[in-house]
Amino acid sequence: MQLDVPRKRRLSLGLTPLIDVVFILLIFFMLATTFMEWREVPLVLAGQAGETSDSHTAVAVVRIEATGNIWLDGAPIAKEALATRLVEWQARESNGVVRVRPDGDVSLQRLLEVVEQLDRAGITNVSLQEE
Amino acid sequence: MRLSDAETGASEVSEDHLIPLINIVFLLLIFFMVAGTFMNPDPLGVEPPASDSEHPATLELATLSVAADGRLALDGEAFDPDELRTRVAALLEQGEGLTIRADANLPASRLLPLLRELEAAGLERSTVVTVQGEP
């Protein structure tokens, strides 16, 4: 009987308030945190410090239309063929600069698709230019 | 005496039952604390573009949100686009970086002047944040 008394006291601390607090913390963290995987795409402007070019470098111009059509140096080109063509081009012109020139109403999503395709193909010196 | 015995017995049983529950709640709590990332709420409702870029984003403390119609917000606080240059320059002076979170539908006619402004304000390298996923 004497043994039972201290045990009762220890339990009388009560776990319920602790559980309440932990639940509140849990709900806070569930609501306040996100699990999206954030990525980033670098965007360099033509003439910016990150770009290396001078008046003698070869320039390939990629124009993006709002409809999604892509023109390489004035000739239409399929989206899938663009990266391979530019890889070949850059193999010849090792200092060549690629200028991406989106039309004014091209969305960021469409622009990034092109920029990122070039980035993944390993093409360096890609920069953006106003039309 | 018998009554109090029964009472202690009852409370012991109920608390014993709660312990596995607490364990799980604690595990969930620690999981959310460790695995989740905090992001500033953004008043403009910006939806970043999707991409499968290979560069994981280095999220800076300051976030510039750009809505598709050109409205701007810095760290969740909307401001006049005319103040962009001074605000960003002040930020960079303090040695802070800037994360640009632009809407997927932002037209290039707004994006490129914005990047020019940021460059003029002293931002050397602009990167936009995207969400991992198929475009």
Side-chain angles (χ1 to χ4, degrees):
Chain A
M1 224 37 224
Q2 254 179 344
L3 274 175
D4 270 4
V5 174
R7 236 170 111 197
K8 186 187 169 189
R9 252 187 215 147
R10 188 172 57 85
L11 281 170
S12 71
L13 271 171
L15 284 172
T16 324
L18 171 74
I19 302 167
D20 288 349
V21 170
V22 169
F23 255 115
I24 289 170
L25 282 174
L26 176 66
I27 289 167
F28 168 73
F29 277 99
M30 278 172 73
L31 296 179
T33 57
T34 55
F35 285 91
M36 283 191 196
E37 264 200 71
W38 298 99
R39 300 293 160 121
E40 64 183 14
V41 179
L43 294 179
V44 181
L45 286 171
Q48 205 172 358
E51 191 202 45
T52 52
S53 70
D54 56 51
S55 53
H56 299 292
T57 47
V59 174
V61 176
V62 179
R63 181 173 163 232
I64 311 170
E65 281 184 342
T67 50
N69 297 333
I70 296 171
W71 301 69
L72 175 61
D73 286 332
I77 186 170
K79 209 179 193 174
E80 300 74 31
L82 180 69
T84 44
R85 276 279 288 283
L86 282 172
V87 167
E88 287 165 19
W89 177 80
Q90 206 157 48
R92 287 196 305 274
E93 307 273 355
S94 55
N95 293 322
V97 172
V98 179
R99 289 273 156 83
V100 177
R101 198 175 291 178
D103 279 7
D105 42 3
V106 171
S107 70
L108 178 63
Q109 176 74 66
R110 219 180 268 285
L111 173 65
L112 285 186
E113 280 164 29
V114 173
V115 171
E116 200 202 317
Q117 190 193 357
L118 301 184
D119 184 61
R120 240 178 302 136
I123 296 165
T124 52
N125 278 344
V126 178
S127 58
L128 301 179
Q129 198 176 39
E130 287 95 340
E131 31 163 1
Chain B
M1 208 53 202
R2 214 195 272 170
L3 234 174
S4 78
D5 263 5
E7 258 173 17
T8 55
S11 76
E12 220 170 90
V13 166
S14 70
E15 303 238 315
D16 278 351
H17 267 295
L18 283 176
I19 289 171
L21 171 73
I22 301 166
N23 287 345
I24 288 170
V25 171
F26 255 115
L27 281 179
L28 282 173
L29 177 65
I30 291 166
F31 169 73
F32 278 102
M33 280 171 70
V34 172
T37 47
F38 281 100
M39 266 228 126
N40 284 323
D42 127 58
L44 306 178
V46 168
E47 283 181 26
S51 79
D52 50 356
S53 162
E54 291 154 3
H55 313 288
T58 50
L59 294 177
E60 303 281 355
L61 276 178
T63 306
L64 177 71
S65 302
V66 188
D69 56 5
R71 283 175 301 147
L72 299 173
L74 193 61
D75 283 338
E77 181 204 344
F79 66 94
D80 191 346
D82 295 339
E83 300 169 23
L84 174 68
R85 197 181 292 199
T86 49
R87 282 191 183 237
V88 171
L91 200 72
L92 293 174
E93 229 165 68
Q94 291 164 18
E96 283 194 55
L98 187 68
T99 302
I100 305 169
R101 189 156 39 141
D103 196 275
N105 291 318
L106 182 71
S109 56
R110 289 188 196 279
L111 174 74
L112 292 180
L114 177 80
L115 292 179
R116 284 259 177 255
E117 275 289 297
L118 291 175
E119 185 197 1
L123 190 70
E124 281 167 15
R125 191 169 162 275
S126 315
T127 57
V128 290
V129 167
T130 62
V131 176
Q132 166 80 11
E134 277 303 303

